[in-house]
Every structure is written in C-alpha cells, then in structure tokens.
Amino acid sequence: GAGVSQSPSNKVTEKGKDVELRCDPISGHTALYWYRQRLGQGLEFLIYFQGNSAPDKSGLPSDRFSAERTGESVSTLTIQRTQQEDSAVYLCASSGVGLAGGGTQYFGPGTRLLVL
Amino acid sequence: SQQGEEDPQALSIQEGENATMNCSYKTSINNLQWYRQNSGRGLVHLILIRSNEREKHSGRLRVTLDTSKKSSSLLITASRAADTASYFCATVSSGNTPLVFGKGTRLSVIA
C-alpha cells in the first residue's frame, strides 16, 4: 500500500512569510509525528498526534509553530513569520501500533524548507 | 533533547568489511530501534530490540543491547556500497511517545 507522503517536497520562502507543510499518513495509522532535522543533525521531535488530538506538543520550538490533524488522517504543520533558523527538513511519520508494544514509525520523504 | 548518542560520528570502510556503530542512551527504555537515512530524507526502520532482549539478527544486521550500560550496537556484516547512509538509534520509553533520536553515524562504504 501507499506509504507516508509529504508535500511540498521542497519549499523556498522569504523570511517573515508563513508556510504550510502537509503530511498524509498511512491509512489507518492512528499516531502521527512531526520531526525537524537540521543539516547534519539528528531528528528533533516537534509534535505527536493520537487520532486528532495532540497529547504531546512539547517539541514545538515557539508559538510560531502549530499543527493540526483532521479526520485522523492528514496533518498540516504551519510555521508563521518564518525565520532563517527554521530552514531544515521536516519529517512526518506514522505508526499503527504503539511504539512501546513493538510498533515502528514509517517516515515520509520530508519537506526541505529553505528560508531566505 | 536528544537521548541517544551514536559513536562514531562518521565511519569509512571498504566493501566487504564489517561496520560497527554504537549507541548510548540515558534513561530507561521499552525498546530501541535502528533506522537508516539516505541522502537526508525519510528514514527506514531496520530493526527493533526490546529491553528484555540482548541480541537480535536480521539478515546482515546484528543488534545487541546492554541495558546495564545503557548501550546498543549495530553490526553490518559484509558491507556493500549500497549500505552507505546515516544510521540512527532511537529509543522508546512508553506508550506512543515519540522516538528520541541520536545524531547518527554517517557510514561510507567504498567499493
């Protein structure tokens, strides 16, 4: 079946503009995760959804970042008033089984964001 | 904050050699997972080892886990050029909480 998809694959924007990144998880996966990866670094957790609710938003770096999920499916990550430090690859993952139960995450290809 | 720390940060070997990467973590875990990333894009799950397991095999991959030392190792045997990628360990503490990733090991396999 189809994997996790993300759009756009690349986004170049000017500092101060808002951007919206989209994630389509694997159908039926209840958990959805957003991560950020700066060049040459590991993944930073941003936010996690269980269904349409977000039990853990602890990773969002500032109030310029927000995310929502509707219909236990698509999620959008919005960055307002982008800054150059927001430049990174934004990765989305989904899982159908709880990670502590041995489930694993399936990652999308990411959106590469460049803020000029 | 990142919990897992991989070692070494970069590794370069000849095709056919074995590659060993290590991961250390700080808090108690439910399981530990290894992922591979090509070209800075999506990650692919490789193998999962539970906290009550000590060793696990999958094809050319062997993972060990030492919970007393809070460390894990990933061994890739008979490496191939196609194994060139970044490898990350990630830990799971409980429930559906997100994976906590290290910074990764960049492996280069030279043909």
Side-chain angles (χ1 to χ4, degrees):
Chain A
V4 178
S5 61
Q6 292 185 245
S7 61
S9 55
N10 293 282
K11 176 73 178 177
V12 181
T13 190
E14 293 179 349
K15 178 181 172 181
K17 302 274 189 181
D18 298 352
V19 295
E20 255 190 23
L21 312 179
R22 176 185 169 113
C23 172
D24 283 85
I26 292 173
S27 178
H29 278 193
T30 57
L32 185 149
Y33 308 80
W34 283 99
Y35 296 88
R36 176 172 73 178
Q37 185 179 32
R38 292 198 167 105
L39 188 64
Q41 300 296 310
L43 278 70
E44 296 174 68
F45 165 73
L46 297 178
I47 187 169
Y48 142 61
F49 287 93
Q50 182 62 42
N52 292 338
S53 64
D56 190 347
K57 304 179 183 179
S58 62
L60 293 178
S62 75
D63 58 8
R64 296 186 296 105
F65 287 71
S66 63
E68 63 176 23
R69 187 181 186 195
T70 55
E72 294 196 356
S73 180
V74 173
S75 175
T76 54
L77 176 69
T78 301
I79 309 173
Q80 295 178 308
R81 306 182 301 282
T82 52
Q83 303 293 312
Q84 289 179 330
E85 72 226 31
D86 299 334
S87 296
V89 176
Y90 289 82
L91 291 158
C92 173
S94 69
S95 67
V97 177
L99 300 182
T104 62
Q105 293 188 358
Y106 295 83
F107 281 81
T111 292
R112 190 180 303 276
L113 174 67
L114 178 60
V115 182
L116 301 176
Chain B
S1 62
Q2 290 171 319
Q3 170 164 239
E5 292 290 337
E6 290 90 346
D7 167 57
Q9 291 186 358
L11 179 61
S12 184
I13 59 174
Q14 297 289 323
E15 202 166 34
E17 293 180 338
N18 296 342
T20 299
M21 288 158 271
N22 303 297
C23 167
S24 59
Y25 57 92
K26 296 174 185 172
T27 64
S28 62
I29 62 170
N30 178 287
N31 65 70
L32 184 146
Q33 304 180 19
W34 284 90
Y35 286 78
R36 184 178 78 186
Q37 184 179 39
N38 289 84
S39 305
R41 287 293 190 158
L43 280 73
V44 174
H45 175 259
L46 294 176
I47 194 166
L48 178 155
I49 187 165
R50 298 179 190 273
S51 60
N52 62 353
E53 297 176 310
R54 292 296 166 258
E55 187 170 314
K56 204 161 182 182
H57 296 254
S58 176
R60 294 183 297 113
L61 306 179
R62 182 173 80 96
V63 171
T64 61
L65 179 65
D66 187 335
T67 53
S68 66
K69 294 181 179 177
K70 291 187 168 57
S71 67
S72 172
S73 67
L74 172 67
L75 169 68
I76 304 174
T77 60
S79 63
R80 305 167 182 167
D83 295 329
T84 295
S86 289
Y87 291 82
F88 295 87
C89 69
T91 56
V92 175
S93 296
S94 63
N96 261 342
T97 54
L99 296 171
V100 180
F101 285 85
K103 293 184 179 180
T105 292
R106 291 187 309 280
L107 174 65
S108 297
V109 181
I110 302 165

